[in-house]
Amino acid sequence: MLRVYQSKNAAQAKSYFSSELTQADYYSEEQEIAGNWGGKSAAMLGLSGAVNKEAFNQLVDNINPLTGERLTSHNKQNRTPGYDLTFNAPKSLSLLYERSKDERLLNVFRDAVNSTMESIEEHMHARVRKGGKSEDRKTGNLAYAEFVHFTARPVKTKAPDPHLHAHCYTMNVTHDDQENQWKAGQFRPIKTDAPYYEAMFHSHLSKSLTDMGLNIERDGKFWTIEEIDKSTLDKFSNRTEQIEEAANKKNISNPDIKAELGAKLRISKEKGMTRDELRENWWERLDDQEKNILDNLLTNDGNDGGDGNNITAHECADYAINHQLERQSVIPLTRLKETALRYGVGQVNPEQIEQAFNARDDLMVTSKHGREIATTKQIWQEEQDIIGFTLKGYARHAKLNHDYEIGMVTDHSTNTQFELGDEQKNVVENLLQSRDRIMAVQGKAGTGKTTTLATLIDGIEKNGSSTVVLAPTADAAYDTLRTDGEKYKSETMQEASTLARFAVDDRLWKKDAVLIVDEAGLMSVRDMHILFAIAIENNNRVILTGDTAQHNSVNRGDAFRLLQEKASLAPLELEDIRRQKGEYKKAVKKIAKGDVIKGFDKLDDMGNINEEDDDETRYRSLVTNAIRKKLKDNKHIGTKETSVSKATNLHLTDAEKSDYHSYEKGQMIRFQQNAKGIKRGEQFTVSEVNKDNVLITNEAGQEQNLNLDEVGNPIIGRFNIYKREDISLSSGDRIRITEGGKSKDNRRINNGAIYQVKNINKEGDIVLDNGRILDHKKGNYDYGYVTTSYASQGKTVDHVFIAQSSENGGANSAEQFYVSVSRGKQAISLYTDDKAELRQQIERSHQRLSASELFEKPKEPKDYFNGVSAAVRYMAEKYRVQKNRQLEKANNSPSWQEKIRLEKQQEPDLSI
């Protein structure tokens, strides 16, 4: 791993030098660890060879050791003196080095550190403020002091474990050659790209070890020496166990937060064992077989080097692009390279990965805020297609209904009538009068979009046109829309379908119909591209309703926002919030309009935001176990518990599913689409995983190969991978459906629906209070007391409770906060550990950049529109042809993934 720690001031840095950098975690006769200077800046300052305390202290005091004068022009009090970049070897290498005492291992470790530091140095920048400029300039030099340590921190009374690692204490100084002066370095980009440099370090190191004949095996983000068993390494994991134990007590799962927790748990170094005494202690933990394995590893007897897959740098680049750009339209180039380096660990080096990316002609790369950002030509073209199709459709069609009179709306669930608000009437009237092919409604949360939709549909259909209602999620289509359809007696809404089903089932396609998409903010560019292709094929018009301020799609591209910003799609607004009342409504309205901080402060003034420092107390207010205990105490759920197995979707990308490292014995695999010899809905258990194949076993005990290596593998997109976990259920428990489908008694169950448990029958299946039976073998359920903000979008409750820790800062955003607080009708209670930090975090937006925002390539409108029309029409026709072929071959609908595979095999010419 690579960790970057910032020193707060010079005094702290000096103390760190004396008590940490130069001191080992055991005390030998040598007492101190010698450091070595590195970096071009160090050489410019006359520093080389061994690090001495005087020169180190001068630099952290911002003094030039050559002249004794101040080094940089600015010398603020408590300036950041430097950063400790810590490189950690895998435990398997640390153990082998201590057992073998082979200095070649130490040399390749230090070479990997120094090579990575050279790359970091190459990208060092300094600020430029002269001449009215406000930019960063590349300097390409830095100074660091390298200290190599050999053990981990001791844990309480236990001896420290072997842990080869290097501290490169990097001074906050770099030389600007153009201005001929020393300046503070810009380390934020280095910290941002730390995962990339970490991957680079491991690539250098693992490839060198492979060249020595060691077998390197990927292990999650990192790697291990293949022959050293995990059970052996676990005997040297005292520090890891300490951190995991503390993290579990605090409900911490984020690895970055765990690392910070580890720093807090450090204990003082104490005098004790020499290094030889430590080695005696370590080898006492091993049996003879484990010792023999370590002793024979460097004999090159039977070692083939690497994992035997012979991965090339170009394959690594392919994997990185397919994985990272499945869910994002653009990505920093360093993230792509990091992914490629990790995928090819032990097989390729950073230079080969660099060459592989440089050789690609499908990548588009540009610079933004000093970082190189990448996308592909195909992604850019998809965006251009939907933008162009939207632009082409303005003011070219007949009005949907020019004389519709908006009447009273009847809610048949309560047998009441009411009148639409003026804002809702205005939206309906304007849409019915529109002559555009693509129309849009921007409806804030709780503004009555579905009521407006019901009236709009009535207006369209009374003029003789048909409508089709769609949504990106099964929950929105089959639960919300169909339920509202029953409420307002709208047959079209009662037949609402998902975009995914619509894309592959041409029985739902209607000539000249109006396609209405709810929750359009959740549409990816791919979703929109398919929808528009079908619209061209069937001469459809499209109405999109959603809210760009709420969550966006999981897959790449925020299509609804993209059309508004790049295709001049001006949505009609629904802003009058009807869900909340009084002061709560005022707060939500501020957030909905983008004044997130004012809305937060409003809720805080109302007493709705609660700060509790104690993690256990904070989570006790909301977590499932606490809620269930309270319900049991009050006899709302039974005391007898039955253990059942739930299946949690790992949500892996197709690229990850094509990699055998993603599989573990015992995982469940469920097919969402038919495959060769496998029917939709079939389940398998992963029975064996190795570098040659992944074996899966069906419920009848029959084993087969998953065949991940098939050329142009059509099977990858047809299944999902799940992990199984046991939970306890009692009568009266509330459970949430985690994947839609059919119950065991053949009735539909919708993803996200909440049900109450009646009992567990003798087969182990869950009987619900509505009579439906859930198959325990499928495991599509979880406790229904707490959900994520993403899963709650589109839902309404009376009182919403929110647990929002500032420790999960990466998940906190303006969109997440807006969705969370707008779910309640009557009240909100939010619990956090740090109000001030959370207030700052929710200012950030999770809106993603599009390829079209970064790469502007204007075209002549006439040629451009014709090209888009032809390309999208061809795409729709190809979908239809492939569908018919599949229906002829077997009585089933082809998968969306199969269509994507065919599209890649026969890519239409989208060039203009």
Side-chain angles (χ1 to χ4, degrees):
M1 292 189 291
L2 170 61
R3 299 294 183 193
V4 181
Y5 300 99
Q6 178 180 344
S7 292
K8 294 181 180 179
N9 51 54
Q12 184 192 58
K14 292 175 184 177
S15 174
Y16 188 62
F17 176 87
S18 300
S19 62
E20 304 290 337
L21 294 177
T22 59
Q23 297 294 333
D25 293 305
Y26 60 89
Y27 276 71
S28 63
E29 292 80 359
E30 291 82 13
Q31 290 291 323
E32 291 188 350
I33 291 176
N36 291 281
W37 288 110
K40 297 176 183 177
S41 294
M44 294 169 67
L45 293 167
L47 302 174
S48 62
V51 176
N52 63 72
K53 184 176 182 179
E54 181 182 5
F56 185 96
N57 288 348
Q58 283 178 317
L59 283 179
V60 299
D61 280 333
N62 198 27
I63 294 174
N64 188 326
L66 284 176
T67 65
E69 299 175 349
R70 191 168 71 187
L71 194 57
T72 68
S73 59
H74 297 286
N75 196 27
K76 296 185 295 185
Q77 188 176 9
N78 289 332
R79 63 181 287 275
T80 298
Y83 299 80
D84 179 20
L85 279 61
T86 306
F87 296 84
N88 300 279
K91 190 172 293 294
S92 58
L93 177 59
S94 299
L95 186 60
L96 178 60
Y97 172 65
E98 291 297 337
R99 180 69 183 179
S100 67
K101 301 179 184 178
D102 190 328
E103 291 304 303
R104 291 181 301 164
L105 299 178
L106 178 60
N107 290 337
V108 296
F109 170 76
R110 291 194 63 194
D111 287 345
V113 171
N114 292 329
S115 294
T116 307
M117 288 300 298
E118 286 177 3
S119 296
I120 292 173
E121 179 174 51
E122 182 184 348
H123 292 91
M124 178 54 62
H125 286 68
R127 289 182 178 179
V128 177
R129 296 296 182 265
K130 289 184 177 180
K133 294 182 179 180
S134 180
E135 59 188 37
D136 291 342
R137 177 183 293 140
K138 186 175 181 179
T139 58
N141 61 82
L142 50 75
Y144 66 92
E146 177 211 40
F147 298 85
V148 178
H149 290 209
F150 302 95
T151 63
R153 276 280 179 163
V155 177
K156 299 178 181 177
T157 59
K158 298 179 181 179
D161 292 320
H163 179 204
L164 177 61
H165 60 287
H167 296 272
C168 292
Y169 192 92
T170 308
M171 301 299 173
N172 187 14
V173 64
T174 186
H175 191 264
D176 184 339
D177 291 342
Q178 288 193 34
E179 296 182 24
N180 192 28
Q181 69 176 88
W182 291 98
K183 296 180 177 180
Q186 289 292 78
F187 280 85
R188 180 171 292 179
I190 305 300
K191 294 181 70 173
T192 300
D193 280 334
Y196 164 59
Y197 293 116
E198 176 183 79
M200 180 184 291
F201 159 70
H202 283 289
S203 180
H204 282 302
L205 178 56
S206 62
K207 185 62 169 66
S208 295
L209 294 175
T210 297
D211 293 343
M212 288 176 61
L214 289 172
N215 295 325
I216 301 302
E217 174 69 16
R218 262 193 291 145
D219 183 16
K221 286 175 59 179
F222 303 107
W223 55 273
T224 189
I225 298 173
E226 187 174 330
E227 289 80 0
I228 304 178
D229 194 81
K230 184 177 183 300
S231 61
T232 301
L233 300 178
D234 287 343
K235 296 177 180 180
F236 302 90
S237 300
N238 292 326
R239 179 89 172 125
T240 301
E241 290 176 5
Q242 179 195 32
I243 295 171
E244 288 295 332
E245 181 181 352
N248 289 335
K249 287 181 179 179
K250 293 179 173 289
N251 296 308
I252 295 173
S253 58
N254 187 296
D256 294 328
I257 300 173
K258 284 183 182 180
E260 295 174 7
L261 180 62
K264 297 176 183 177
L265 294 172
R266 292 164 63 121
I267 65 173
S268 300
K269 300 178 181 181
E270 298 178 0
K271 293 186 177 181
M273 304 170 118
T274 65
R275 192 169 179 184
D276 287 338
E277 289 172 337
L278 273 177
R279 284 171 171 157
E280 289 181 18
N281 175 282
W282 293 335
W283 311 145
E284 287 174 359
R285 306 179 196 177
L286 302 178
D287 59 33
D288 290 341
Q289 183 180 1
E290 291 171 319
K291 293 175 185 176
N292 287 334
I293 289 173
L294 290 170
D295 292 339
N296 293 326
L297 272 174
L298 291 171
T299 64
N300 292 321
D301 183 14
N303 293 356
D304 54 28
D307 65 9
N309 279 357
N310 298 318
I311 299 173
T312 67
H314 291 286
E315 290 171 334
C316 293
D318 284 341
Y319 176 87
I321 290 169
N322 292 335
H323 170 59
Q324 292 290 358
L325 292 176
E326 180 174 314
R327 294 172 181 169
Q328 299 181 82
S329 296
V330 300
I331 193 167
L333 187 58
T334 51
R335 184 74 59 81
L336 285 179
K337 293 177 181 177
E338 175 204 342
T339 304
L341 288 167
R342 294 192 191 280
Y343 184 72
V345 70
Q347 302 269 326
V348 297
N349 60 37
E351 290 75 20
Q352 292 169 321
I353 292 295
E354 189 74 25
Q355 291 169 6
F357 277 103
N358 290 338
R360 297 190 73 100
D361 60 5
D362 61 334
L363 276 185
M364 300 170 67
V365 181
T366 190
S367 181
K368 184 175 178 65
H369 302 314
R371 302 192 78 189
E372 287 188 305
I373 309 295
T375 190
T376 67
K377 293 177 181 177
Q378 180 186 349
I379 291 172
W380 181 85
Q381 187 64 60
E382 276 183 0
E383 293 182 3
Q384 295 304 298
D385 286 351
I386 65 172
I387 292 169
F389 180 61
T390 303
L391 288 167
K392 184 180 179 181
Y394 289 136
R396 291 193 171 204
H397 301 269
K399 296 178 179 180
L400 293 172
N401 192 332
H402 66 281
D403 60 356
Y404 178 69
E405 293 186 9
I406 300 176
M408 299 292 288
V409 178
T410 301
D411 182 343
H412 293 276
S413 64
T414 58
N415 290 320
T416 58
Q417 285 191 324
F418 60 91
E419 189 176 359
L420 289 183
D422 291 341
E423 186 180 59
Q424 293 171 300
K425 289 180 180 179
N426 180 65
V427 167
V428 172
E429 290 170 351
N430 277 277
L431 287 173
L432 294 177
Q433 298 290 323
S434 175
R435 297 181 61 239
D436 299 336
R437 188 161 192 177
I438 311 298
M439 297 155 277
V441 178
Q442 179 86 351
K444 299 301 181 183
T447 55
K449 290 193 295 293
T450 51
T451 311
T452 307
L453 278 185
T455 306
L456 173 65
I457 291 168
D458 182 65
I460 295 171
E461 294 179 346
K462 281 187 176 176
N463 197 38
S465 297
S466 59
T467 57
V468 178
V469 177
L470 305 166
T473 66
D475 192 23
Y478 300 133
D479 188 6
T480 305
L481 285 169
R482 289 192 177 186
T483 300
D484 287 333
E486 293 176 6
K487 182 188 295 186
Y488 302 118
K489 295 299 181 185
S490 169
E491 292 184 9
T492 302
M493 290 177 71
Q494 290 179 64
E495 296 173 354
S497 182
T498 63
L499 287 166
R501 182 186 171 194
F502 185 72
V504 298
D505 191 350
D506 58 8
R507 293 172 299 178
L508 301 175
W509 300 2
K510 294 181 181 179
K511 288 287 186 182
D512 305 317
V514 179
L515 310 180
I516 301 175
V517 184
D518 194 25
E519 296 289 353
L522 292 174
M523 289 184 72
S524 68
V525 168
R526 196 58 147 173
D527 292 335
M528 197 77 79
H529 202 252
I530 297 166
L531 181 72
F532 286 1
I534 296 170
I536 287 179
E537 171 74 8
N538 294 280
N539 193 36
N540 300 135
R541 295 172 72 178
V542 180
I543 297 175
L544 306 168
T545 75
D547 186 0
T548 56
Q550 297 189 50
H551 286 301
N552 47 33
S553 67
V554 174
N555 289 331
R556 67 169 177 256
D558 306 339
F560 193 38
R561 179 179 64 84
L562 177 66
L563 295 183
Q564 293 181 40
E565 296 182 357
K566 293 297 179 181
S568 303
L569 181 64
L572 296 160
E573 301 281 351
L574 282 174
E575 295 185 333
D576 186 11
I577 296 173
R578 299 169 178 273
R579 182 177 296 163
Q580 295 88 23
K581 305 295 181 184
E583 297 301 302
Y584 184 13
K585 175 179 178 178
K586 291 178 182 178
V588 173
K589 192 170 183 177
K590 290 180 185 296
I591 298 168
K593 287 187 172 183
D595 293 332
V596 182
I597 297 303
K598 290 182 179 179
F600 180 95
D601 293 341
K602 179 72 174 176
L603 292 172
D604 194 16
D605 292 341
M606 292 163 58
N608 298 134
I609 300 181
N610 308 284
E611 183 177 82
E612 299 182 19
D613 294 330
D614 182 354
D615 288 338
E616 293 185 14
T617 302
R618 170 162 44 89
Y619 284 110
R620 193 181 301 130
S621 305
L622 289 170
V623 293
T624 293
N625 288 341
I627 294 173
R628 293 186 72 243
K629 182 179 183 306
K630 193 70 172 178
L631 290 173
K632 281 186 179 182
D633 292 343
N634 292 325
K635 303 188 183 311
H636 293 300
I637 64 175
T639 56
K640 181 183 177 181
E641 295 196 338
T642 303
S643 180
V644 297
S645 178
K646 70 169 184 174
T648 303
N649 192 336
L650 298 180
H651 295 293
L652 303 184
T653 65
D654 283 356
E656 289 174 307
K657 285 188 283 184
S658 69
D659 179 10
Y660 81 90
H661 291 89
S662 299
Y663 297 83
E664 295 179 5
K665 190 174 181 179
Q667 288 173 334
M668 184 185 84
I669 288 179
R670 180 186 298 138
F671 279 76
Q672 273 66 43
Q673 298 292 337
N674 296 323
K676 186 177 181 180
I678 300 173
K679 291 184 178 180
R680 178 174 178 247
E682 277 196 76
Q683 294 183 177
F684 297 81
T685 299
V686 177
S687 51
E688 185 179 342
V689 180
N690 56 54
K691 64 186 66 174
D692 298 316
N693 52 41
V694 174
L695 296 179
I696 56 176
T697 305
N698 65 15
E699 293 174 318
Q702 299 168 320
E703 192 173 64
Q704 67 185 77
N705 190 348
L706 194 55
N707 200 12
L708 301 178
D709 295 329
E710 182 180 336
V711 177
N713 195 346
I715 202 173
I716 291 299
R718 299 186 174 205
F719 64 83
N720 287 322
I721 307 174
Y722 304 77
K723 66 175 180 180
R724 284 211 177 262
E725 299 174 284
D726 290 335
I727 61 173
S728 296
L729 291 179
S730 302
S731 60
D733 256 323
R734 290 169 65 83
I735 59 174
R736 174 174 54 85
I737 301 302
T738 56
E739 191 168 299
K742 293 289 185 69
S743 61
K744 200 169 185 180
D745 52 317
N746 205 35
R747 288 194 282 176
R748 178 160 193 89
I749 52 175
N750 296 325
N751 184 29
I754 305 291
Y755 297 108
Q756 192 165 31
V757 175
K758 182 179 180 181
N759 63 274
I760 312 296
N761 65 21
K762 61 182 180 181
E763 287 82 19
D765 297 325
I766 301 171
V767 181
L768 305 176
D769 62 354
N770 62 5
R772 296 179 184 179
I773 302 173
L774 302 182
D775 189 343
H776 73 283
K777 293 179 181 178
K778 291 183 180 290
N780 298 335
Y781 43 75
D782 200 351
Y783 289 120
Y785 301 106
V786 177
T787 187
T788 64
S789 67
Y790 196 97
S792 72
Q793 184 161 319
K795 290 184 170 61
T796 304
V797 295
D798 289 335
H799 190 150
V800 59
F801 292 85
I802 305 167
Q804 193 160 355
S805 170
S806 67
E807 292 178 344
N808 296 321
N812 297 332
S813 70
E815 292 83 6
Q816 170 274 319
F817 187 68
Y818 172 35
V819 171
S820 297
V821 302
S822 61
R823 295 308 93 202
K825 289 199 296 187
Q826 299 172 8
I828 171 182
S829 298
L830 187 150
Y831 299 83
T832 185
D833 59 323
D834 191 329
K835 283 186 187 181
E837 180 64 21
L838 177 61
R839 185 178 184 271
Q840 183 176 343
Q841 289 172 353
I842 62 173
E843 285 190 277
R844 296 193 298 257
S845 172
H846 276 179
Q847 287 186 344
R848 300 170 294 189
L849 281 171
S850 68
S852 299
E853 288 171 305
L854 287 179
F855 302 91
E856 298 286 354
K857 293 188 178 179
K859 305 288 183 181
E860 288 294 327
K862 183 177 179 181
D863 293 338
Y864 176 74
F865 295 150
N866 289 340
V868 170
S869 178
V872 181
R873 189 184 302 279
Y874 173 78
M875 190 176 175
E877 179 61 24
K878 188 168 59 177
Y879 292 155
R880 196 179 185 90
V881 169
Q882 174 61 15
K883 167 82 166 135
N884 292 335
R885 286 176 181 168
Q886 289 287 340
L887 287 173
E888 291 172 4
K889 185 176 181 181
N891 187 23
N892 63 275
S893 297
S895 70
W896 160 237
Q897 289 82 6
E898 176 72 3
K899 291 177 179 177
I900 293 299
R901 183 182 71 83
L902 290 171
E903 182 182 336
K904 289 179 179 177
Q905 290 180 350
Q906 187 181 6
E907 192 70 38
D909 183 7
L910 297 180
S911 61
I912 308 303

